Amino acid sequence: MTQDELKQAVARAAIGYVVDGAIIGVGTGSTANFFIDELAAIKDRIQGTVASSEATAERLKKHGVPVFDLNDVDSIAVYIDGADEIDAQGAMIKGGGAALTREKIVASVAKSFVCIADGSKLVDTLGKFALPVEVIPMARNAVLRELAALGGQPKVRTKPGSDEPFVTDNGGNLIDVAGLSITDPVALEARINQLTGVIAVGLFAARGANVCLLGTAEGVKTLS
Ligand code: ABF
């Protein structure tokens, strides 16, 4: 099976976690895109969605799936999204797709988080994938120095084909921290959250995934 077929398989399996009549939180990225395409087929069963990025909102709307502003909904039954890395406890690195802050906000409201990923995303220890941190632009270099002091190799993410800093949907910049071996994800998440100028860190550990659907050659495996 190709990686795309594995992503499609988990996206299809995630439909089993959609709650009828409810608001569904929808993630960002190629695996989440497969899920959006599956969700479109059952859109009449749900009240609507909250999107974690402009790109996701656009794709949902193209399919005719209602998209609500988070401020206009009281609750989200389930949040379904991909990850860059996930461990056996459900802690994740997210943000390779630059949407980590909105993903974290939507996930924080959702009653349950279902992570969908191909099997290559499961790791013993988080950190091989550079950890994304969203920052207020004026604090970019100050936060970069603080992150270097934590032992990693931080680098400002740039716009494709340019030396200018990448700008997120929120007007923030991103720093990717390579070279970390994250043995205590909850503690590192709390520590980076405390740095002044940080908007959000792409460690989802204090609120990790409740369920992970992993696409493997032997079929979809469920970790919970
Ligand atoms: C989102 O999409 C992000 O948090 C993560 O960075 C990325 C995973 O992308 P893909 O599904 O394309 O591997 O979930």
Side-chain angles (χ1 to χ4, degrees):
M1 275 173 104
T2 66
Q3 207 173 13
D4 273 356
E5 285 167 339
L6 296 175
K7 290 178 182 181
Q8 201 157 18
V10 290
R12 202 168 297 134
I15 291 296
Y17 291 83
V18 168
V19 178
D20 286 356
I23 304 278
I24 309 301
V26 183
T28 297
S30 60
T31 318
N33 281 344
F34 282 117
F35 172 69
I36 292 170
D37 299 345
E38 296 289 333
L39 188 65
I42 60 146
K43 64 183 177 198
D44 295 338
R45 276 175 41 192
I46 61 168
Q47 194 182 335
T49 59
V50 172
S52 61
S53 64
E54 299 296 336
T56 287
E58 197 182 315
R59 194 176 183 100
L60 286 162
K61 285 177 189 166
K62 265 194 192 145
H63 278 301
V65 180
V67 179
F68 294 102
D69 187 299
L70 180 60
N71 290 305
D72 296 329
V73 309
D74 293 329
S75 68
I76 295 174
V78 59
Y79 178 63
I80 298 175
D81 195 5
D84 298 306
E85 281 185 352
I86 182 162
D87 71 15
Q89 286 70 48
M92 293 163 283
I93 287 184
K94 292 173 52 55
L100 63 149
T101 299
R102 294 191 191 190
E103 290 173 353
K104 212 165 209 185
I105 293 169
V106 182
S108 75
V109 175
K111 291 200 179 84
S112 146
F113 188 135
V114 176
C115 176
I116 49 176
D118 66 83
S120 69
K121 305 286 182 69
L122 182 66
V123 298
D124 289 331
T125 306
L126 298 172
K128 204 161 178 200
F129 190 95
L131 177 65
V133 181
E134 185 167 357
V135 297
I136 297 286
M138 74 170 286
R140 194 169 56 234
N141 287 337
V143 172
L144 189 126
R145 287 190 291 273
E146 298 277 1
L147 291 170
L150 294 181
Q153 293 105 46
K155 201 171 163 214
V156 174
R157 196 181 300 184
T158 51
K159 292 179 185 169
S162 150
D163 287 340
E164 282 177 42
F166 182 91
V167 180
T168 69
D169 283 352
N170 314 305
N173 295 149
L174 291 169
I175 298 173
D176 295 304
V177 191
L180 294 171
S181 174
I182 306 174
T183 50
D184 188 345
V186 174
L188 187 63
E189 181 179 10
R191 187 145 178 216
I192 294 178
N193 271 336
Q194 279 177 356
L195 299 176
T196 303
V198 166
I199 300 171
V201 53
L203 260 178
F204 287 54
R207 201 276 185 261
N210 301 93
V211 175
C212 178
L213 302 176
L214 270 189
T216 74
E218 295 80 46
V220 175
K221 289 191 179 158
T222 306
L223 311 180
S224 54

